[in-house]
Amino acid sequence: MKFGTRLVQFDAAPGDPLHPSATPIYQTATFAQEEADAFGKFDYSRSGNPTRKVLEDQMAALEQGTRGFVFASGMAAIATVTHLLSAGDEIVADYDLYGGASRLFGKVIGRAGLSVKFVDAQDLVSLDAAITPKTKLVYLETPTNPLLRILDLAAIVEVAHRHGALVCVDSSVMSPYLQNPLTLGADIVLHSATKFLCGHSDVTGGVIVVKDEKLAQEIYFLQNAEGTALGPFDCYLVLRGLKTLKLRIDAQQANARKVAEFLAAHPRVAEVNYPGLPSHPGYELQHRQANGPGSLLTFRAGSRIAAKRIAEQTDLLKIAVSFGSVNSTISIPAAMSHASVPAEHDRSIPDDLLRLSLGIEDADDLIAAFAQTL
Ligand SMILES: *Cc1c(COP(=O)(O)O)cnc(C)c1O
């Protein structure tokens, strides 16, 4: 089955004799057992829940993995990955990470005796040099956010695996429609389901998908041991959102392209960064390893004040952190989503940088809004 077909053609309720078209919400903590000394398929929702299982299986299929796991948030999924490591182990991470991931790596994991080294993962020589026998995990996002650098997944996997390190890719910016890191050799792909997977700004959730059965068992163990799984109602909402993933992203990407072209041609805009523009340094690579450039773009306003004015005066767009929803949003990463990045990991995000997440509005309205503000 092709991707768009799989999004809507799957067993919504395995084993249910009524064959409901939508997955029922099993809003229950416990499941009665038929025998006192043997568990059924489900016993306790922290350990497993039928609504969650449908979503986890669907995510595994969409990412071309074997097992999927869903969590209360993207950060819970990332934290779970760090718990695969033990005191003394080290993570080598690309320096341009989601602010919450930078905060977790910079301020939390040290308490468990883990350390992190930040590198520029576009530079394979320095990546190779940074990995030591203590390095158990190479961690990255591509396209990076907010700088939208494109990292060469297959090449990074080759370097990391040569040293015996696992590779985890946070693919939230792409979704499984546009990029499948497991097929390029990555060991773990994760998502903030809060973004494109849900797509409607009404759930926080996280996803991990792996191929390797031993890794799957370890992640399942952590999900159950730490009690971090996504609740049944939120699983239902993500399942509902997922069905239109392809339609949404096709529309959002088409809008991103039009807005990027409009901004790039506008005399008051200094610099537009969108992997779908041939002028983007990662254009070729993105084309090779992904099925599209996505719907995030950034541009520079020229000054902090100008950025603030544009964000506040483009009335059609709400100022909001996050991205990937059906409505377009605008943000100033230096002041918002990435304000929690510790100074020592500063990648100098320019303070006049505006990030747009394009939604499914009519492109004419979006362009008119920017034409007026600029
Ligand atoms: C939002 C985001 C996260 C964190 O996800 P939450 O659901 O907010 O916890 C992680 N990685 C990326 C790339 C994100 O954009």
Side-chain angles (χ1 to χ4, degrees), residues 155-193:
I156 290 167
V157 164
E158 199 273 317
V159 172
H161 283 179
R162 192 158 16 90
H163 292 277
L166 295 173
V167 177
C168 176
V169 179
D170 178 341
S171 203
S172 305
V173 167
M174 290 275 89
S175 92
Y177 176 40
L178 297 181
Q179 178 171 278
N180 298 119
L182 297 180
T183 66
L184 297 166
D187 303 282
I188 302 168
V189 57
L190 68 81
H191 292 276
S192 168

PDB file of all heavy atoms in Angstrom, residues 155-193:
ATOM      1  N   ALA A 155      24.859   9.430   5.654  1.00  0.00           N
ATOM      2  CA  ALA A 155      26.288   9.619   5.955  1.00  0.00           C
ATOM      3  C   ALA A 155      26.530   9.633   7.466  1.00  0.00           C
ATOM      4  O   ALA A 155      27.506   9.056   7.960  1.00  0.00           O
ATOM      5  CB  ALA A 155      26.782  10.919   5.318  1.00  0.00           C
ATOM      6  N   ILE A 156      25.631  10.273   8.213  1.00  0.00           N
ATOM      7  CA  ILE A 156      25.779  10.331   9.675  1.00  0.00           C
ATOM      8  C   ILE A 156      25.617   8.930  10.282  1.00  0.00           C
ATOM      9  O   ILE A 156      26.354   8.533  11.182  1.00  0.00           O
ATOM     10  CB  ILE A 156      24.770  11.341  10.270  1.00  0.00           C
ATOM     11  CG1 ILE A 156      25.195  12.762   9.872  1.00  0.00           C
ATOM     12  CG2 ILE A 156      24.667  11.200  11.783  1.00  0.00           C
ATOM     13  CD1 ILE A 156      24.141  13.825  10.130  1.00  0.00           C
ATOM     14  N   VAL A 157      24.650   8.189   9.760  1.00  0.00           N
ATOM     15  CA  VAL A 157      24.435   6.816  10.232  1.00  0.00           C
ATOM     16  C   VAL A 157      25.712   5.983  10.001  1.00  0.00           C
ATOM     17  O   VAL A 157      26.139   5.223  10.874  1.00  0.00           O
ATOM     18  CB  VAL A 157      23.230   6.170   9.499  1.00  0.00           C
ATOM     19  CG1 VAL A 157      23.221   4.658   9.662  1.00  0.00           C
ATOM     20  CG2 VAL A 157      21.920   6.775  10.010  1.00  0.00           C
ATOM     21  N   GLU A 158      26.321   6.184   8.858  1.00  0.00           N
ATOM     22  CA  GLU A 158      27.537   5.414   8.536  1.00  0.00           C
ATOM     23  C   GLU A 158      28.638   5.702   9.567  1.00  0.00           C
ATOM     24  O   GLU A 158      29.250   4.780  10.093  1.00  0.00           O
ATOM     25  CB  GLU A 158      27.978   5.769   7.104  1.00  0.00           C
ATOM     26  CG  GLU A 158      28.911   4.763   6.452  1.00  0.00           C
ATOM     27  CD  GLU A 158      30.369   5.040   6.773  1.00  0.00           C
ATOM     28  OE1 GLU A 158      30.784   6.209   6.747  1.00  0.00           O
ATOM     29  OE2 GLU A 158      31.102   4.065   7.070  1.00  0.00           O
ATOM     30  N   VAL A 159      28.838   6.981   9.877  1.00  0.00           N
ATOM     31  CA  VAL A 159      29.873   7.364  10.858  1.00  0.00           C
ATOM     32  C   VAL A 159      29.527   6.791  12.239  1.00  0.00           C
ATOM     33  O   VAL A 159      30.355   6.162  12.899  1.00  0.00           O
ATOM     34  CB  VAL A 159      30.015   8.908  10.938  1.00  0.00           C
ATOM     35  CG1 VAL A 159      30.938   9.310  12.087  1.00  0.00           C
ATOM     36  CG2 VAL A 159      30.505   9.473   9.605  1.00  0.00           C
ATOM     37  N   ALA A 160      28.281   6.984  12.674  1.00  0.00           N
ATOM     38  CA  ALA A 160      27.887   6.549  14.023  1.00  0.00           C
ATOM     39  C   ALA A 160      27.987   5.034  14.161  1.00  0.00           C
ATOM     40  O   ALA A 160      28.502   4.525  15.170  1.00  0.00           O
ATOM     41  CB  ALA A 160      26.460   7.011  14.321  1.00  0.00           C
ATOM     42  N   HIS A 161      27.521   4.313  13.169  1.00  0.00           N
ATOM     43  CA  HIS A 161      27.525   2.851  13.260  1.00  0.00           C
ATOM     44  C   HIS A 161      28.940   2.293  13.227  1.00  0.00           C
ATOM     45  O   HIS A 161      29.209   1.252  13.846  1.00  0.00           O
ATOM     46  CB  HIS A 161      26.670   2.242  12.146  1.00  0.00           C
ATOM     47  CG  HIS A 161      25.192   2.351  12.417  1.00  0.00           C
ATOM     48  ND1 HIS A 161      24.230   1.899  11.562  1.00  0.00           N
ATOM     49  CD2 HIS A 161      24.522   2.880  13.484  1.00  0.00           C
ATOM     50  CE1 HIS A 161      23.024   2.131  12.072  1.00  0.00           C
ATOM     51  NE2 HIS A 161      23.183   2.731  13.230  1.00  0.00           N
ATOM     52  N   ARG A 162      29.828   2.977  12.538  1.00  0.00           N
ATOM     53  CA  ARG A 162      31.238   2.550  12.531  1.00  0.00           C
ATOM     54  C   ARG A 162      31.792   2.538  13.963  1.00  0.00           C
ATOM     55  O   ARG A 162      32.646   1.741  14.306  1.00  0.00           O
ATOM     56  CB  ARG A 162      32.047   3.490  11.627  1.00  0.00           C
ATOM     57  CG  ARG A 162      33.414   2.992  11.331  1.00  0.00           C
ATOM     58  CD  ARG A 162      34.076   3.553  10.065  1.00  0.00           C
ATOM     59  NE  ARG A 162      33.539   4.728   9.436  1.00  0.00           N
ATOM     60  CZ  ARG A 162      33.905   5.997   9.713  1.00  0.00           C
ATOM     61  NH1 ARG A 162      34.802   6.232  10.673  1.00  0.00           N
ATOM     62  NH2 ARG A 162      33.382   7.004   9.059  1.00  0.00           N
ATOM     63  N   HIS A 163      31.258   3.452  14.811  1.00  0.00           N
ATOM     64  CA  HIS A 163      31.706   3.518  16.215  1.00  0.00           C
ATOM     65  C   HIS A 163      30.773   2.736  17.145  1.00  0.00           C
ATOM     66  O   HIS A 163      30.913   2.816  18.364  1.00  0.00           O
ATOM     67  CB  HIS A 163      31.752   4.976  16.673  1.00  0.00           C
ATOM     68  CG  HIS A 163      32.810   5.795  16.008  1.00  0.00           C
ATOM     69  ND1 HIS A 163      34.120   5.804  16.449  1.00  0.00           N
ATOM     70  CD2 HIS A 163      32.770   6.620  14.938  1.00  0.00           C
ATOM     71  CE1 HIS A 163      34.833   6.624  15.689  1.00  0.00           C
ATOM     72  NE2 HIS A 163      34.041   7.129  14.753  1.00  0.00           N
ATOM     73  N   GLY A 164      29.779   2.060  16.588  1.00  0.00           N
ATOM     74  CA  GLY A 164      28.859   1.282  17.426  1.00  0.00           C
ATOM     75  C   GLY A 164      27.842   2.111  18.181  1.00  0.00           C
ATOM     76  O   GLY A 164      27.255   1.647  19.169  1.00  0.00           O
ATOM     77  N   ALA A 165      27.601   3.355  17.750  1.00  0.00           N
ATOM     78  CA  ALA A 165      26.608   4.199  18.431  1.00  0.00           C
ATOM     79  C   ALA A 165      25.261   4.102  17.708  1.00  0.00           C
ATOM     80  O   ALA A 165      25.209   3.949  16.490  1.00  0.00           O
ATOM     81  CB  ALA A 165      27.079   5.655  18.455  1.00  0.00           C
ATOM     82  N   LEU A 166      24.179   4.202  18.489  1.00  0.00           N
ATOM     83  CA  LEU A 166      22.836   4.254  17.900  1.00  0.00           C
ATOM     84  C   LEU A 166      22.581   5.641  17.336  1.00  0.00           C
ATOM     85  O   LEU A 166      23.142   6.630  17.819  1.00  0.00           O
ATOM     86  CB  LEU A 166      21.772   3.982  18.979  1.00  0.00           C
ATOM     87  CG  LEU A 166      21.736   2.612  19.635  1.00  0.00           C
ATOM     88  CD1 LEU A 166      20.717   2.628  20.789  1.00  0.00           C
ATOM     89  CD2 LEU A 166      21.356   1.540  18.618  1.00  0.00           C
ATOM     90  N   VAL A 167      21.721   5.709  16.335  1.00  0.00           N
ATOM     91  CA  VAL A 167      21.332   7.011  15.785  1.00  0.00           C
ATOM     92  C   VAL A 167      19.845   7.226  16.021  1.00  0.00           C
ATOM     93  O   VAL A 167      19.017   6.381  15.647  1.00  0.00           O
ATOM     94  CB  VAL A 167      21.628   7.095  14.268  1.00  0.00           C
ATOM     95  CG1 VAL A 167      21.152   8.435  13.708  1.00  0.00           C
ATOM     96  CG2 VAL A 167      23.114   6.903  14.008  1.00  0.00           C
ATOM     97  N   CYS A 168      19.523   8.358  16.660  1.00  0.00           N
ATOM     98  CA  CYS A 168      18.122   8.738  16.866  1.00  0.00           C
ATOM     99  C   CYS A 168      17.838  10.020  16.098  1.00  0.00           C
ATOM    100  O   CYS A 168      18.564  11.005  16.246  1.00  0.00           O
ATOM    101  CB  CYS A 168      17.849   8.946  18.358  1.00  0.00           C
ATOM    102  SG  CYS A 168      16.162   9.517  18.682  1.00  0.00           S
ATOM    103  N   VAL A 169      16.789   9.994  15.291  1.00  0.00           N
ATOM    104  CA  VAL A 169      16.416  11.169  14.506  1.00  0.00           C
ATOM    105  C   VAL A 169      15.052  11.675  14.964  1.00  0.00           C
ATOM    106  O   VAL A 169      14.069  10.935  14.946  1.00  0.00           O
ATOM    107  CB  VAL A 169      16.347  10.828  12.994  1.00  0.00           C
ATOM    108  CG1 VAL A 169      15.939  12.064  12.187  1.00  0.00           C
ATOM    109  CG2 VAL A 169      17.684  10.282  12.505  1.00  0.00           C
ATOM    110  N   ASP A 170      15.017  12.938  15.386  1.00  0.00           N
ATOM    111  CA  ASP A 170      13.746  13.597  15.664  1.00  0.00           C
ATOM    112  C   ASP A 170      13.230  14.146  14.337  1.00  0.00           C
ATOM    113  O   ASP A 170      13.780  15.095  13.794  1.00  0.00           O
ATOM    114  CB  ASP A 170      13.963  14.726  16.688  1.00  0.00           C
ATOM    115  CG  ASP A 170      12.688  15.498  17.006  1.00  0.00           C
ATOM    116  OD1 ASP A 170      11.722  15.422  16.216  1.00  0.00           O
ATOM    117  OD2 ASP A 170      12.667  16.198  18.041  1.00  0.00           O
ATOM    118  N   SER A 171      12.184  13.511  13.811  1.00  0.00           N
ATOM    119  CA  SER A 171      11.700  13.814  12.470  1.00  0.00           C
ATOM    120  C   SER A 171      10.400  14.621  12.503  1.00  0.00           C
ATOM    121  O   SER A 171       9.649  14.649  11.531  1.00  0.00           O
ATOM    122  CB  SER A 171      11.507  12.489  11.711  1.00  0.00           C
ATOM    123  OG  SER A 171      11.559  12.649  10.324  1.00  0.00           O
ATOM    124  N   SER A 172      10.147  15.310  13.626  1.00  0.00           N
ATOM    125  CA  SER A 172       8.881  16.044  13.813  1.00  0.00           C
ATOM    126  C   SER A 172       8.598  17.041  12.698  1.00  0.00           C
ATOM    127  O   SER A 172       7.444  17.258  12.325  1.00  0.00           O
ATOM    128  CB  SER A 172       8.903  16.828  15.134  1.00  0.00           C
ATOM    129  OG  SER A 172       9.191  16.010  16.218  1.00  0.00           O
ATOM    130  N   VAL A 173       9.644  17.677  12.178  1.00  0.00           N
ATOM    131  CA  VAL A 173       9.463  18.721  11.171  1.00  0.00           C
ATOM    132  C   VAL A 173       8.993  18.128   9.830  1.00  0.00           C
ATOM    133  O   VAL A 173       8.386  18.821   9.023  1.00  0.00           O
ATOM    134  CB  VAL A 173      10.783  19.526  11.023  1.00  0.00           C
ATOM    135  CG1 VAL A 173      10.792  20.411   9.793  1.00  0.00           C
ATOM    136  CG2 VAL A 173      11.039  20.361  12.272  1.00  0.00           C
ATOM    137  N   MET A 174       9.259  16.845   9.610  1.00  0.00           N
ATOM    138  CA  MET A 174       8.934  16.205   8.338  1.00  0.00           C
ATOM    139  C   MET A 174       7.678  15.344   8.376  1.00  0.00           C
ATOM    140  O   MET A 174       6.956  15.252   7.393  1.00  0.00           O
ATOM    141  CB  MET A 174      10.108  15.321   7.892  1.00  0.00           C
ATOM    142  CG  MET A 174      11.341  16.084   7.459  1.00  0.00           C
ATOM    143  SD  MET A 174      11.263  16.594   5.716  1.00  0.00           S
ATOM    144  CE  MET A 174      10.473  18.185   5.834  1.00  0.00           C
ATOM    145  N   SER A 175       7.463  14.646   9.477  1.00  0.00           N
ATOM    146  CA  SER A 175       6.410  13.633   9.586  1.00  0.00           C
ATOM    147  C   SER A 175       6.786  12.430   8.718  1.00  0.00           C
ATOM    148  O   SER A 175       7.605  12.558   7.796  1.00  0.00           O
ATOM    149  CB  SER A 175       5.029  14.151   9.155  1.00  0.00           C
ATOM    150  OG  SER A 175       4.810  13.895   7.771  1.00  0.00           O
ATOM    151  N   PRO A 176       6.163  11.279   8.969  1.00  0.00           N
ATOM    152  CA  PRO A 176       6.511  10.087   8.168  1.00  0.00           C
ATOM    153  C   PRO A 176       6.119  10.205   6.704  1.00  0.00           C
ATOM    154  O   PRO A 176       6.558   9.406   5.883  1.00  0.00           O
ATOM    155  CB  PRO A 176       5.744   8.950   8.857  1.00  0.00           C
ATOM    156  CG  PRO A 176       4.785   9.591   9.771  1.00  0.00           C
ATOM    157  CD  PRO A 176       5.275  10.953  10.086  1.00  0.00           C
ATOM    158  N   TYR A 177       5.299  11.170   6.354  1.00  0.00           N
ATOM    159  CA  TYR A 177       4.936  11.356   4.943  1.00  0.00           C
ATOM    160  C   TYR A 177       6.136  11.837   4.130  1.00  0.00           C
ATOM    161  O   TYR A 177       6.329  11.422   2.990  1.00  0.00           O
ATOM    162  CB  TYR A 177       3.763  12.337   4.852  1.00  0.00           C
ATOM    163  CG  TYR A 177       3.350  12.701   3.434  1.00  0.00           C
ATOM    164  CD1 TYR A 177       3.308  11.750   2.416  1.00  0.00           C
ATOM    165  CD2 TYR A 177       2.977  14.017   3.122  1.00  0.00           C
ATOM    166  CE1 TYR A 177       2.922  12.095   1.128  1.00  0.00           C
ATOM    167  CE2 TYR A 177       2.581  14.364   1.837  1.00  0.00           C
ATOM    168  CZ  TYR A 177       2.562  13.402   0.839  1.00  0.00           C
ATOM    169  OH  TYR A 177       2.184  13.752  -0.427  1.00  0.00           O
ATOM    170  N   LEU A 178       6.949  12.694   4.739  1.00  0.00           N
ATOM    171  CA  LEU A 178       8.030  13.312   3.961  1.00  0.00           C
ATOM    172  C   LEU A 178       9.394  12.658   4.171  1.00  0.00           C
ATOM    173  O   LEU A 178      10.300  12.851   3.358  1.00  0.00           O
ATOM    174  CB  LEU A 178       8.127  14.816   4.278  1.00  0.00           C
ATOM    175  CG  LEU A 178       6.900  15.653   3.906  1.00  0.00           C
ATOM    176  CD1 LEU A 178       7.126  17.119   4.250  1.00  0.00           C
ATOM    177  CD2 LEU A 178       6.554  15.494   2.430  1.00  0.00           C
ATOM    178  N   GLN A 179       9.567  11.914   5.256  1.00  0.00           N
ATOM    179  CA  GLN A 179      10.900  11.377   5.532  1.00  0.00           C
ATOM    180  C   GLN A 179      10.788  10.140   6.418  1.00  0.00           C
ATOM    181  O   GLN A 179      10.009  10.141   7.360  1.00  0.00           O
ATOM    182  CB  GLN A 179      11.716  12.473   6.236  1.00  0.00           C
ATOM    183  CG  GLN A 179      13.117  12.104   6.657  1.00  0.00           C
ATOM    184  CD  GLN A 179      13.875  13.361   7.126  1.00  0.00           C
ATOM    185  OE1 GLN A 179      14.405  14.109   6.311  1.00  0.00           O
ATOM    186  NE2 GLN A 179      13.911  13.592   8.429  1.00  0.00           N
ATOM    187  N   ASN A 180      11.547   9.108   6.087  1.00  0.00           N
ATOM    188  CA  ASN A 180      11.547   7.880   6.886  1.00  0.00           C
ATOM    189  C   ASN A 180      12.974   7.525   7.276  1.00  0.00           C
ATOM    190  O   ASN A 180      13.632   6.723   6.605  1.00  0.00           O
ATOM    191  CB  ASN A 180      10.915   6.710   6.112  1.00  0.00           C
ATOM    192  CG  ASN A 180       9.466   6.965   5.755  1.00  0.00           C
ATOM    193  OD1 ASN A 180       9.101   7.000   4.592  1.00  0.00           O
ATOM    194  ND2 ASN A 180       8.620   7.156   6.749  1.00  0.00           N
ATOM    195  N   PRO A 181      13.471   8.083   8.365  1.00  0.00           N
ATOM    196  CA  PRO A 181      14.881   7.887   8.749  1.00  0.00           C
ATOM    197  C   PRO A 181      15.289   6.413   8.930  1.00  0.00           C
ATOM    198  O   PRO A 181      16.446   6.071   8.694  1.00  0.00           O
ATOM    199  CB  PRO A 181      15.002   8.644  10.074  1.00  0.00           C
ATOM    200  CG  PRO A 181      13.953   9.698   9.986  1.00  0.00           C
ATOM    201  CD  PRO A 181      12.808   9.049   9.260  1.00  0.00           C
ATOM    202  N   LEU A 182      14.330   5.551   9.322  1.00  0.00           N
ATOM    203  CA  LEU A 182      14.709   4.140   9.523  1.00  0.00           C
ATOM    204  C   LEU A 182      15.169   3.510   8.198  1.00  0.00           C
ATOM    205  O   LEU A 182      16.046   2.648   8.186  1.00  0.00           O
ATOM    206  CB  LEU A 182      13.542   3.333  10.109  1.00  0.00           C
ATOM    207  CG  LEU A 182      13.040   3.754  11.495  1.00  0.00           C
ATOM    208  CD1 LEU A 182      11.877   2.853  11.931  1.00  0.00           C
ATOM    209  CD2 LEU A 182      14.146   3.712  12.544  1.00  0.00           C
ATOM    210  N   THR A 183      14.581   3.968   7.096  1.00  0.00           N
ATOM    211  CA  THR A 183      14.964   3.396   5.798  1.00  0.00           C
ATOM    212  C   THR A 183      16.358   3.873   5.367  1.00  0.00           C
ATOM    213  O   THR A 183      16.946   3.309   4.455  1.00  0.00           O
ATOM    214  CB  THR A 183      13.950   3.753   4.682  1.00  0.00           C
ATOM    215  OG1 THR A 183      13.998   5.170   4.470  1.00  0.00           O
ATOM    216  CG2 THR A 183      12.541   3.340   5.047  1.00  0.00           C
ATOM    217  N   LEU A 184      16.846   4.935   6.028  1.00  0.00           N
ATOM    218  CA  LEU A 184      18.195   5.429   5.735  1.00  0.00           C
ATOM    219  C   LEU A 184      19.201   4.907   6.761  1.00  0.00           C
ATOM    220  O   LEU A 184      20.335   5.355   6.795  1.00  0.00           O
ATOM    221  CB  LEU A 184      18.201   6.966   5.702  1.00  0.00           C
ATOM    222  CG  LEU A 184      17.322   7.592   4.603  1.00  0.00           C
ATOM    223  CD1 LEU A 184      17.111   9.080   4.847  1.00  0.00           C
ATOM    224  CD2 LEU A 184      17.943   7.355   3.222  1.00  0.00           C
ATOM    225  N   GLY A 185      18.751   3.983   7.604  1.00  0.00           N
ATOM    226  CA  GLY A 185      19.685   3.324   8.521  1.00  0.00           C
ATOM    227  C   GLY A 185      19.604   3.759   9.966  1.00  0.00           C
ATOM    228  O   GLY A 185      20.258   3.177  10.831  1.00  0.00           O
ATOM    229  N   ALA A 186      18.813   4.811  10.267  1.00  0.00           N
ATOM    230  CA  ALA A 186      18.695   5.251  11.666  1.00  0.00           C
ATOM    231  C   ALA A 186      18.091   4.129  12.503  1.00  0.00           C
ATOM    232  O   ALA A 186      17.338   3.291  11.996  1.00  0.00           O
ATOM    233  CB  ALA A 186      17.847   6.511  11.766  1.00  0.00           C
ATOM    234  N   ASP A 187      18.427   4.115  13.799  1.00  0.00           N
ATOM    235  CA  ASP A 187      17.928   3.067  14.690  1.00  0.00           C
ATOM    236  C   ASP A 187      16.604   3.450  15.334  1.00  0.00           C
ATOM    237  O   ASP A 187      15.781   2.587  15.638  1.00  0.00           O
ATOM    238  CB  ASP A 187      18.971   2.803  15.788  1.00  0.00           C
ATOM    239  CG  ASP A 187      20.301   2.428  15.187  1.00  0.00           C
ATOM    240  OD1 ASP A 187      20.439   1.267  14.760  1.00  0.00           O
ATOM    241  OD2 ASP A 187      21.197   3.308  15.092  1.00  0.00           O
ATOM    242  N   ILE A 188      16.449   4.754  15.594  1.00  0.00           N
ATOM    243  CA  ILE A 188      15.255   5.235  16.299  1.00  0.00           C
ATOM    244  C   ILE A 188      14.757   6.482  15.576  1.00  0.00           C
ATOM    245  O   ILE A 188      15.546   7.384  15.271  1.00  0.00           O
ATOM    246  CB  ILE A 188      15.598   5.634  17.763  1.00  0.00           C
ATOM    247  CG1 ILE A 188      16.215   4.453  18.526  1.00  0.00           C
ATOM    248  CG2 ILE A 188      14.368   6.191  18.479  1.00  0.00           C
ATOM    249  CD1 ILE A 188      16.840   4.843  19.864  1.00  0.00           C
ATOM    250  N   VAL A 189      13.452   6.522  15.285  1.00  0.00           N
ATOM    251  CA  VAL A 189      12.875   7.781  14.801  1.00  0.00           C
ATOM    252  C   VAL A 189      11.859   8.224  15.829  1.00  0.00           C
ATOM    253  O   VAL A 189      11.131   7.400  16.401  1.00  0.00           O
ATOM    254  CB  VAL A 189      12.259   7.642  13.389  1.00  0.00           C
ATOM    255  CG1 VAL A 189      11.190   6.578  13.321  1.00  0.00           C
ATOM    256  CG2 VAL A 189      11.690   8.976  12.910  1.00  0.00           C
ATOM    257  N   LEU A 190      11.866   9.516  16.126  1.00  0.00           N
ATOM    258  CA  LEU A 190      10.854   9.989  17.069  1.00  0.00           C
ATOM    259  C   LEU A 190      10.171  11.234  16.543  1.00  0.00           C
ATOM    260  O   LEU A 190      10.685  11.931  15.657  1.00  0.00           O
ATOM    261  CB  LEU A 190      11.436  10.169  18.470  1.00  0.00           C
ATOM    262  CG  LEU A 190      12.448  11.241  18.794  1.00  0.00           C
ATOM    263  CD1 LEU A 190      11.786  12.572  19.012  1.00  0.00           C
ATOM    264  CD2 LEU A 190      13.218  10.833  20.058  1.00  0.00           C
ATOM    265  N   HIS A 191       8.986  11.492  17.103  1.00  0.00           N
ATOM    266  CA  HIS A 191       8.183  12.646  16.690  1.00  0.00           C
ATOM    267  C   HIS A 191       7.551  13.302  17.904  1.00  0.00           C
ATOM    268  O   HIS A 191       7.167  12.616  18.847  1.00  0.00           O
ATOM    269  CB  HIS A 191       7.012  12.212  15.799  1.00  0.00           C
ATOM    270  CG  HIS A 191       7.418  11.702  14.464  1.00  0.00           C
ATOM    271  ND1 HIS A 191       7.658  12.526  13.402  1.00  0.00           N
ATOM    272  CD2 HIS A 191       7.639  10.434  14.028  1.00  0.00           C
ATOM    273  CE1 HIS A 191       8.006  11.795  12.356  1.00  0.00           C
ATOM    274  NE2 HIS A 191       8.007  10.518  12.707  1.00  0.00           N
ATOM    275  N   SER A 192       7.400  14.606  17.822  1.00  0.00           N
ATOM    276  CA  SER A 192       6.413  15.263  18.642  1.00  0.00           C
ATOM    277  C   SER A 192       5.101  15.130  17.880  1.00  0.00           C
ATOM    278  O   SER A 192       4.915  15.773  16.839  1.00  0.00           O
ATOM    279  CB  SER A 192       6.769  16.741  18.839  1.00  0.00           C
ATOM    280  OG  SER A 192       5.645  17.393  19.395  1.00  0.00           O
ATOM    281  N   ALA A 193       4.190  14.291  18.371  1.00  0.00           N
ATOM    282  CA  ALA A 193       2.890  14.102  17.701  1.00  0.00           C
ATOM    283  C   ALA A 193       2.031  15.355  17.813  1.00  0.00           C
ATOM    284  O   ALA A 193       1.020  15.488  17.127  1.00  0.00           O
ATOM    285  CB  ALA A 193       2.158  12.903  18.306  1.00  0.00           C
TER     286      ALA A 193
END
